[in-house]
Amino acid sequence: MDDVLLDIKNLSICYSTEDGEVHALNNADLTLHRGESLGLVGETGAGKTTLARGVMRLIPNPPGKVVGGEIFYDGRDLLKLSEADMRRIRGREISMIFQDPMTSLNPVMTVGDQILEVINVHHPDLPRHEARKKAEEMMEMVGITSSRYEDYPHQFSGGMKQRVVIAIALACSPKMLIADEPTTALDVTIQAQVLEMIRDLKEKNNTSMLLITHDLGVVAQNCDRVAIIYSGEIVEYGTLHQIYKETLHPYTEGLFGSIPNLTSNIKRLAAIDGMMPDPTALPAGCKFADRCKYATDRCRTEHPRLLEREDGHKVRCIRYESSGEVTENG
Amino acid sequence: MNKKTDTPAAGKKQRSLWQEAWRRFKKNKIAMVGLVFLLILIVIAISTQVIDLATHNQFYLSHVVKQNLKDRLQPPSAAHPFGLDEFGRDMLLRMLWGVRYSLFMGTLAIVVSCIIGGVLGAISGYYGKQIDNVIMRFMDILLAIPSMLLAIAIVAAFGTSLTNVLLAIAISYIPTFARTVRASVLTVKDQEFIEAARAIGCNDATIILQYILPNAMAPIIVQGTLGIAGAILSIAGLSFLGLGIQPPTPEWGAMLSNARTYIRDAWHVTVIPGLGIMLTILALNLMGDGLRDALDPRLKN
C-alpha cells in the first residue's frame, strides 16, 4: 500500500466539559491515497471538523484531547512528532482551508502579506522580493490581480476572501489539503467557482484532498472516495460508485433519501427520524440503532465492527456480518 | 474561471500601513491639535537641553534657578509674560525648562511599564492555565496596593532620584498594562484566523506579534496615552509630596506644590503649572484617540 498518504487508525478524541466527557471521535479509521480526493460526509456534530483538527494537531487543549490512535502521514505518526516538527508540516505538507473565509483572515494584515507569511514561515531563506513575487503569483493563480496585494480582507467579498485562503493554503504546494466545508459560507454560484478552482489547482499540483462537507452533491462532483461519519464513527467507506450506487449502511441510505430528486415528484422528502445520540452518553450498541428502520435487539447491545468487503467497500453494520461476502477488519 | 473578478485598481496609489495611518490621522483635526501641541513641547524640551549643553548650564543657573527675592510673586507683565514665582524666578523660563521632566519622564515610565506589562499580559493571555494564574495573581498583589502608595514606598526605600521616581512610576503602572493586554489577547486568541495562522505553521512568537497584538492594539494605545497622562500626574504628585524631583529643578508638579501657599496672593504661580499639566494631558488624550482610529485598517476610508 505505497500510495497511501494519510492513514488514520483508531483515532479517538474527547472533549472534557462540565457535562462530562464528550466523545467527539471514536476509533475512526480513514485512508487517503496520493492524488485522490476523499469526501468526509456527516451531519453537524458528527466529528468531521474534530477529525480535521486532529490531523493538523490543532485540537484545543484543554478541553480537547486525543485519547488514542495513530495518524500516519507519509509513514510518520503525526501524533508522535514534536511541536516544532509539526509546525514544519502544517502549511507545507498539509494545509487547511477553513469554513468561514470571513473570520479566517487576519483583519489588520494585507492579503498579500498573509500569503507571504506562509512562504516566509516555510522558506525563511528566500529573499524578500522573490517571496513577494511568489505571493503575487499565487494571487494571480486564484484569479485576483496582484495589484490588490496591499488591500485588506475587509475590502474583499466572501468569495474573494476564500480565494485568498486557498492561495495561502496552496502557496507552499502541500501534498495534502484539508478543506473543512470550504463553501458553506458562500452562495451557490461562488461555491461552484471555488470548488472548480480547488479541483483545478489540486490536479495541477497532484495534491490529495480531504473534503469535509455535508453536501452530497459537492462530494459527487469532487471526490474519488467517500467516508460517511456518524456520531464520531466512520460508518461507511468506499469509492464514489460504491457509496452512491451500492449503498450499504442504513444511515447512508437515509442521507440519500433526504435529497430532492429532479425527476420524481414528491411532496415531502424522507427525513431520518430522531437525533444523533448525545456524545456524552453514547449507546452501547450501534450508534444509529435508535433511528434505524432495520434495527434489531442485537443492534442495541452489540457494537458493530467495521467490515470490509472484498472490493474495499467498508461498512459498520451488523446486517452484513452474516452474509458470506465480508471479511472482518478492526 | 481565471478571469479577474476584481475592479481595476491601477490608478490607485499603493501606500504602506504607516502612510495610510498618517493619512487617516491627518483627517482628524482634534487629534492633529493634540499632536501639534505635543510636537511644540518636544521641540521646547530638546531646545532647552541644547541651550544647557551649549552654555554649560550657565543659562540654567543664572535664569532658571537663580533666586531674586526682591521681585517675588510679581504678576504677569510685558517683561515676564507668566510673571515671577515665589523666589522671583521667571515663570515662563521655568515652565519651558520643566517640559522635559514631565513629558519625557512620563513617556519613559509608560514605555517601560507598557513593555514589561505588555509581555506579561500577552504571555498570560496566550498561554493561560498556570502561567496565567501566577502572573495575574502577582499583578493582583501589585494592584491591591494603591499606585501612589507603591510609588511612595519605592522612592522612600531607594531614595529620591530621577531613576527611582521613574522606576516607581513604571512599576506601579505595570499591572494595568498587563491586565489590558491580557484582556485584549483573550478576545482575539480564539478567533478563527489565529487557528488559521497556526495551521500554516506559524510559531507562538509570530502568532502573538503578527496576529494577536496588532488586533489588540486599540485598548493598549488608549491605555498608553492615558497612562502617560497619569504618569505625569504621578510624577507631579510625588514632587508635590516632596518625594519626586527636588527643588530647585523646575518640574511642574513641584512648582505647583511649592506655590500652593501663595494661591490667594498670586494666582499665576499655581494656575500656570496647573494649566501646563492639564493641557499636556489633554493633548496626549486627543492624540491617543486619533492614533487608535488611524491605526485600525478596518476603519479605512
Side-chain angles (χ1 to χ4, degrees), chain A residues 97-315:
Chain A
I97 297 174
F98 285 87
Q99 188 170 349
D100 188 356
M102 304 295 169
T103 55
S104 52
L105 290 172
N106 185 351
V108 298
M109 222 167 150
T110 64
V111 291
D113 281 344
Q114 297 194 46
I115 303 174
L116 190 70
E117 179 88 28
V118 63
I119 300 169
N120 276 340
V121 164
H122 294 292
H123 305 281
D125 307 328
L126 206 65
R128 211 190 137 73
H129 65 274
E130 267 180 53
R132 175 160 175 146
K133 222 179 103 202
K134 172 88 181 146
E136 283 175 355
E137 274 169 26
M138 286 312 298
M139 285 183 78
E140 298 278 353
M141 208 164 103
V142 294
I144 304 171
T145 55
S146 52
S147 61
R148 301 205 61 181
Y149 187 94
E150 303 280 352
D151 280 353
Y152 288 91
H154 69 270
Q155 292 164 306
F156 281 58
S157 68
M160 300 267 289
K161 276 187 213 178
Q162 192 62 301
R163 287 174 201 214
V164 174
V165 172
I166 292 167
I168 293 172
L170 295 177
C172 288
S173 319
K175 288 193 197 135
M176 183 181 153
L177 183 66
I178 300 176
D180 185 4
E181 305 191 28
T183 55
T184 311
L186 306 174
D187 68 60
V188 183
T189 44
I190 306 296
Q191 262 186 29
Q193 282 183 16
V194 165
L195 283 170
E196 195 185 319
M197 191 175 69
I198 293 178
R199 200 163 57 230
D200 285 351
L201 296 175
K202 185 186 100 53
E203 265 158 36
K204 211 187 280 175
N205 301 328
N206 195 28
T207 314
S208 308
M209 177 164 73
L210 179 62
L211 179 67
I212 297 173
T213 179
H214 43 239
D215 188 336
L216 285 162
V218 167
V219 171
Q221 269 187 348
N222 293 284
C223 298
D224 308 302
R225 279 172 207 272
V226 187
I228 309 286
I229 188 167
Y230 181 78
S231 194
E233 283 180 342
I234 305 293
V235 293
E236 190 166 359
Y237 172 87
T239 61
L240 199 61
H241 181 82
Q242 284 167 343
I243 301 285
Y244 280 67
K245 298 292 174 200
E246 299 161 16
T247 312
L248 292 179
H249 200 277
Y251 177 61
T252 320
E253 241 173 65
L255 284 182
F256 284 114
S258 57
I259 300 174
N261 195 321
L262 275 182
T263 48
S264 60
N265 189 11
I266 312 170
K267 279 264 159 41
R268 275 189 78 83
L269 293 168
I272 309 176
D273 286 330
M275 298 285 283
M276 224 167 35
D278 179 4
T280 56
L282 290 174
C286 176
K287 309 264 191 296
F288 188 60
D290 284 344
R291 303 169 73 180
C292 180
K293 53 189 172 191
Y294 309 106
T296 62
D297 284 344
R298 205 180 140 216
C299 289
R300 290 179 221 287
T301 50
E302 194 181 315
H303 187 238
R305 283 163 301 184
L306 195 62
L307 307 164
E308 184 171 4
R309 303 213 312 186
E310 272 158 18
D311 55 1
H313 193 163
K314 293 180 191 175
V315 63

Side-chain angles (χ1 to χ4, degrees), chain B residues 37 41 95 232 252 271-282:
Chain B
F37 187 80
L41 289 185
M95 286 300 289
I232 290 176
W252 292 355
V271 168
I272 287 169
L275 271 179
I277 295 173
M278 195 200 87
L279 288 177
T280 311
I281 291 166
L282 182 67

